[in-house]
Amino acid sequence: MNRNAYRLYQGFKYAVYVLLAMNVLWFFLDEWGAATHRFADGVRLEDVIEGFAASIDTAAWVILLLMFELETYVLEDRHFRKRVTFTLHSLRVICYAFIVYAFYGYLSRLVFLYAAAPLPELSDLCSLAAEQWSYAVELDAYETVTPENCGTLSTVAEFIKYRGLTVVVDTTGYVELVRLAWVDVINSAVWLLVVLLLEIDVRLQERNRLEGMALRISTALKYVLYSTLLLAAVYWGIKGEFIDFWDAFLWLVAFVFIELNVFEWRRESRDEAAAASG
């Protein structure tokens, strides 16, 4: 790779990282808007993870991504002294704690949806227009039901009510929201498996043992996991969830860069070993 191509590659890589950092803001704005409906009495500390799972998850992932970038590309072997290694590992442990916590948030949201119950006495959404009810248009987006919009929000005669809230959604919309919530849970779980494999790869590479069967197993598992993540991104795209699709796409690109970093690291280690033995 010549110098200009190398600079272009690095510029594109860090542009992706910046875009991912910006997504923290987009998710926070979406979830903040939804929180005003979901937590009418205010967001308590125990509600934060459930109400802002995507924001917390994305922020932790951005920091974790930078830690992987430092360890697999920016820092050289001579930089890995005890203090640096301890700092990197400590930050990663904190990030993993928040990521697992965010996974719990996605799972809690799914459980919350399953706790919703049919509202058989409601057959016309417009009858709620004068009572300050809201309609769930997305997982984290609600619209107050008014005489002007009630006819456009839903024309279905069967509705589901969220437990403890003055929020409804029609049966068709409810099925779609549950599916989207499942995709969030699966996507989060698969990413946890991806970083677990990547952590194993990095530790093996530090010991020059990312070879043979270990490498083949890691590669095969990653094909399955990354394919699952790609399917989740495609599903979001088909359903018109642009922010989720865009975020998923950027994360796939970002971790391709990390995988390339590990590949280059392996190549350099093998070249150094060959030169030393020669």
Side-chain angles (χ1 to χ4, degrees):
M1 184 183 296
N2 61 45
R3 181 173 298 181
N4 289 335
Y6 175 78
R7 288 177 178 173
L8 183 63
Y9 169 81
Q10 293 299 321
F12 177 66
K13 177 171 70 173
Y14 291 120
V16 169
Y17 293 176
V18 170
L19 289 172
L20 284 170
M22 291 174 62
N23 281 355
V24 178
L25 175 62
W26 308 139
F27 281 120
F28 176 77
L29 292 175
D30 271 356
E31 291 177 320
W32 179 260
T36 60
H37 292 271
R38 179 114 180 245
F39 308 105
D41 298 327
V43 181
R44 299 169 299 176
L45 183 60
E46 59 266 32
D47 297 326
V48 170
I49 187 59
E50 189 175 344
F52 298 92
S55 305
I56 295 170
D57 190 31
T58 305
W61 274 104
V62 168
I63 296 171
L64 184 64
L65 176 68
L66 296 179
M67 294 302 100
F68 274 120
E69 177 69 12
L70 283 172
E71 190 163 5
T72 61
Y73 177 74
V74 176
L75 299 178
E76 298 179 5
D77 291 344
R78 58 188 175 85
H79 293 135
F80 287 100
R81 301 183 184 276
K82 287 185 178 180
R83 181 177 298 179
V84 173
T85 301
F86 176 79
T87 301
L88 288 174
H89 290 179
S90 297
L91 285 172
R92 285 229 286 275
V93 168
I94 294 171
C95 288
Y96 286 135
F98 277 108
I99 289 168
V100 172
Y101 195 31
F103 171 74
Y104 168 75
Y106 291 124
L107 196 58
S108 296
R109 184 171 61 183
L110 180 62
V111 172
F112 170 77
L113 286 174
Y114 274 114
L119 198 61
E121 63 269 26
L122 178 65
S123 59
D124 182 7
L125 187 63
C126 290
S127 65
L128 301 178
E131 301 181 28
Q132 296 298 309
W133 281 71
S134 297
Y135 185 86
V137 292
E138 295 179 15
L139 278 176
D140 295 313
Y142 306 88
E143 284 193 28
T144 302
V145 179
T146 67
E148 292 75 24
N149 68 10
C150 62
T152 60
L153 290 175
S154 176
T155 57
V156 177
E158 296 180 345
F159 293 88
I160 305 290
K161 179 186 178 297
Y162 285 6
R163 186 181 63 181
L165 301 177
T166 53
V167 174
V168 297
V169 62
D170 63 35
T171 51
T172 302
Y174 176 73
V175 170
E176 290 298 321
L177 293 180
V178 169
R179 288 174 179 170
L180 286 168
W182 265 112
V183 174
D184 281 345
V185 170
I186 293 169
N187 181 73
S188 181
V190 171
W191 272 115
L192 285 171
L193 293 176
V194 167
V195 293
L196 174 62
L197 274 176
L198 193 54
E199 283 285 355
I200 294 172
D201 285 354
V202 171
R203 301 306 146 233
L204 289 175
Q205 180 55 37
E206 286 177 345
R207 297 165 176 77
N208 292 319
R209 296 175 62 183
L210 186 58
E211 303 289 344
M213 183 62 71
L215 180 60
R216 287 193 292 272
I217 292 174
S218 175
T219 302
L221 289 174
K222 284 178 183 175
Y223 271 121
V224 174
L225 295 176
Y226 282 126
S227 295
T228 303
L229 294 171
L230 180 60
L231 287 175
V234 171
Y235 182 81
W236 282 320
I238 292 173
K239 294 299 178 180
E241 301 290 330
F242 176 76
I243 292 179
D244 289 324
F245 165 76
W246 179 242
D247 183 69
F249 172 74
L250 288 177
W251 279 112
L252 285 170
V253 173
F255 270 81
V256 165
F257 288 131
I258 298 299
E259 296 288 353
L260 290 174
N261 287 349
V262 175
F263 176 81
E264 182 64 18
W265 186 9
R266 285 184 61 248
R267 188 188 63 80
E268 290 176 356
S269 297
R270 296 176 69 175
D271 289 347
E272 289 173 1
S277 62

Coordinates of all heavy atoms in Angstrom, one line a residue, residues 112-145:
F112 N -40.8 -5.9 29.2 CA -41.8 -4.9 29.3 C -42.9 -5.0 28.2 O -44.1 -4.9 28.5 CB -41.1 -3.5 29.3 CG -42.1 -2.4 29.2 CD1 -42.8 -1.9 30.3 CD2 -42.3 -1.7 28.0 CE1 -43.7 -0.9 30.3 CE2 -43.1 -0.6 28.0 CZ -43.8 -0.2 29.1
L113 N -42.5 -5.2 27.0 CA -43.4 -5.4 25.9 C -44.3 -6.6 26.1 O -45.5 -6.5 25.8 CB -42.7 -5.5 24.6 CG -42.1 -4.2 24.0 CD1 -41.3 -4.4 22.8 CD2 -43.2 -3.1 23.7
Y114 N -43.7 -7.7 26.6 CA -44.6 -8.9 26.8 C -45.5 -8.7 27.9 O -46.5 -9.5 28.0 CB -43.7 -10.1 27.0 CG -43.2 -10.8 25.7 CD1 -41.8 -10.7 25.3 CD2 -44.1 -11.4 24.9 CE1 -41.4 -11.3 24.2 CE2 -43.7 -12.0 23.7 CZ -42.4 -12.0 23.3 OH -42.0 -12.5 22.2
A115 N -45.3 -7.7 28.8 CA -46.2 -7.5 29.9 C -47.4 -6.7 29.4 O -48.4 -6.5 30.2 CB -45.5 -6.8 31.0
A116 N -47.4 -6.2 28.2 CA -48.6 -5.4 27.7 C -49.8 -6.3 27.6 O -49.7 -7.5 27.4 CB -48.2 -4.8 26.4
A117 N -51.0 -5.7 27.7 CA -52.2 -6.5 27.7 C -53.2 -5.9 26.7 O -53.3 -4.7 26.5 CB -52.8 -6.5 29.1
P118 N -54.1 -6.8 26.2 CA -55.1 -6.3 25.3 C -56.1 -5.3 26.0 O -56.3 -5.4 27.2 CB -55.9 -7.6 24.9 CG -54.9 -8.7 25.1 CD -54.1 -8.2 26.3
L119 N -56.6 -4.4 25.2 CA -57.5 -3.4 25.7 C -58.9 -3.6 25.0 O -59.2 -2.8 24.0 CB -57.0 -2.0 25.5 CG -57.6 -0.9 26.4 CD1 -57.4 -1.1 27.8 CD2 -56.9 0.5 26.0
P120 N -59.6 -4.6 25.3 CA -60.8 -5.0 24.5 C -61.9 -3.9 24.5 O -62.7 -3.8 23.5 CB -61.4 -6.2 25.3 CG -60.8 -6.1 26.6 CD -59.5 -5.5 26.5
E121 N -61.9 -3.0 25.5 CA -63.0 -2.0 25.4 C -62.7 -0.8 24.5 O -63.5 0.0 24.2 CB -63.2 -1.4 26.9 CG -61.9 -0.7 27.4 CD -61.0 -1.6 28.2 OE1 -61.0 -2.8 28.0 OE2 -60.3 -1.1 29.1
L122 N -61.4 -0.9 23.9 CA -61.1 0.2 22.9 C -61.1 -0.4 21.5 O -60.5 -1.4 21.2 CB -59.6 0.7 23.2 CG -59.1 1.7 22.3 CD1 -59.9 3.0 22.4 CD2 -57.6 2.0 22.5
S123 N -61.9 0.3 20.7 CA -62.0 -0.1 19.2 C -61.7 1.0 18.3 O -61.6 0.8 17.1 CB -63.4 -0.7 18.9 OG -64.4 0.2 19.2
D124 N -61.6 2.2 18.8 CA -61.4 3.4 18.0 C -60.4 4.3 18.7 O -60.6 4.8 19.8 CB -62.7 4.2 17.8 CG -62.5 5.4 16.9 OD1 -61.4 5.6 16.4 OD2 -63.5 6.2 16.8
L125 N -59.2 4.5 18.1 CA -58.2 5.2 18.8 C -58.6 6.7 19.0 O -58.2 7.3 20.0 CB -56.9 5.2 17.9 CG -55.6 5.9 18.5 CD1 -55.2 5.1 19.7 CD2 -54.5 5.9 17.4
C126 N -59.4 7.2 18.2 CA -59.8 8.6 18.3 C -60.6 8.9 19.6 O -60.7 10.0 20.1 CB -60.7 9.1 17.1 SG -59.7 9.2 15.6
S127 N -61.1 7.8 20.2 CA -61.9 8.0 21.5 C -60.9 8.4 22.6 O -61.4 8.8 23.7 CB -62.6 6.7 21.8 OG -61.7 5.6 22.1
L128 N -59.6 8.2 22.4 CA -58.6 8.6 23.5 C -58.1 10.0 23.3 O -57.3 10.4 24.1 CB -57.5 7.6 23.4 CG -57.8 6.1 23.7 CD1 -56.5 5.3 23.6 CD2 -58.4 5.9 25.0
A129 N -58.5 10.7 22.2 CA -57.9 11.9 21.9 C -58.0 13.0 23.0 O -57.2 13.9 23.1 CB -58.5 12.5 20.6
A130 N -59.1 12.9 23.8 CA -59.3 13.9 24.8 C -58.7 13.5 26.2 O -58.9 14.3 27.2 CB -60.7 14.3 24.9
E131 N -58.0 12.4 26.2 CA -57.6 11.9 27.5 C -56.1 11.8 27.7 O -55.6 11.1 28.6 CB -58.2 10.5 27.7 CG -59.7 10.5 27.7 CD -60.3 9.1 27.9 OE1 -59.7 8.3 28.6 OE2 -61.4 8.8 27.4
Q132 N -55.3 12.5 26.9 CA -53.8 12.5 27.1 C -53.2 11.1 27.0 O -52.3 10.8 27.7 CB -53.4 13.2 28.4 CG -53.8 14.6 28.5 CD -53.1 15.5 27.4 OE1 -51.9 15.4 27.3 NE2 -53.9 16.3 26.7
W133 N -53.6 10.3 26.0 CA -53.0 9.0 25.8 C -51.9 9.2 24.7 O -52.0 10.2 23.9 CB -54.0 8.0 25.3 CG -54.8 7.4 26.5 CD1 -55.8 8.1 27.2 CD2 -54.7 6.1 27.0 NE1 -56.3 7.3 28.2 CE2 -55.7 6.0 28.1 CE3 -54.0 5.0 26.7 CZ2 -55.8 4.9 28.8 CZ3 -54.2 3.8 27.4 CH2 -55.1 3.8 28.5
S134 N -51.0 8.3 24.6 CA -50.0 8.3 23.6 C -50.1 7.0 22.8 O -50.5 5.9 23.3 CB -48.6 8.5 24.2 OG -48.5 9.7 24.8
Y135 N -49.5 7.0 21.6 CA -49.5 5.9 20.7 C -48.0 5.5 20.4 O -47.2 6.4 20.1 CB -50.2 6.1 19.4 CG -50.3 4.9 18.5 CD1 -51.4 4.0 18.6 CD2 -49.4 4.7 17.5 CE1 -51.5 2.9 17.8 CE2 -49.5 3.6 16.7 CZ -50.5 2.7 16.8 OH -50.6 1.6 16.0
A136 N -47.7 4.2 20.5 CA -46.3 3.8 20.3 C -46.0 3.7 18.8 O -46.5 2.7 18.2 CB -46.0 2.5 21.0
V137 N -45.3 4.6 18.2 CA -45.1 4.5 16.8 C -43.8 3.8 16.5 O -43.6 3.2 15.4 CB -45.0 6.0 16.2 CG1 -46.3 6.6 16.2 CG2 -43.9 6.8 16.9
E138 N -42.9 3.7 17.5 CA -41.6 2.9 17.4 C -41.3 2.4 18.8 O -42.0 2.7 19.7 CB -40.5 3.8 16.8 CG -40.7 4.2 15.4 CD -39.5 5.1 14.9 OE1 -38.5 5.1 15.6 OE2 -39.7 5.8 13.9
L139 N -40.2 1.7 18.9 CA -39.8 1.2 20.2 C -39.5 2.3 21.2 O -39.9 2.2 22.3 CB -38.5 0.3 20.1 CG -38.7 -1.1 19.6 CD1 -37.4 -1.8 19.4 CD2 -39.6 -1.9 20.6
D140 N -38.9 3.4 20.7 CA -38.6 4.5 21.6 C -39.2 5.8 21.1 O -38.6 6.9 21.2 CB -37.0 4.6 21.6 CG -36.4 3.4 22.3 OD1 -36.9 3.0 23.4 OD2 -35.4 2.9 21.8
A141 N -40.3 5.7 20.5 CA -41.0 6.9 20.0 C -42.5 6.8 20.2 O -43.1 5.8 19.8 CB -40.7 7.1 18.5
Y142 N -43.0 7.9 20.8 CA -44.5 7.9 21.1 C -45.0 9.2 20.5 O -44.4 10.2 20.5 CB -44.7 7.8 22.6 CG -44.1 6.6 23.2 CD1 -42.8 6.7 23.7 CD2 -44.7 5.4 23.3 CE1 -42.1 5.6 24.3 CE2 -44.2 4.3 24.0 CZ -42.9 4.4 24.4 OH -42.3 3.3 25.0
E143 N -46.3 9.2 20.2 CA -47.0 10.4 19.8 C -48.3 10.5 20.6 O -49.0 9.6 20.8 CB -47.4 10.3 18.3 CG -46.2 10.6 17.4 CD -46.6 10.9 15.9 OE1 -47.8 11.4 15.7 OE2 -45.9 10.6 15.0
T144 N -48.5 11.7 21.1 CA -49.7 12.0 21.8 C -50.9 11.9 20.9 O -50.9 12.4 19.7 CB -49.7 13.4 22.4 OG1 -48.6 13.5 23.3 CG2 -51.0 13.7 23.2
V145 N -51.9 11.2 21.3 CA -53.1 11.0 20.4 C -54.0 12.3 20.5 O -54.4 12.7 21.5 CB -54.0 9.8 20.9 CG1 -55.2 9.6 20.0 CG2 -53.1 8.5 20.9

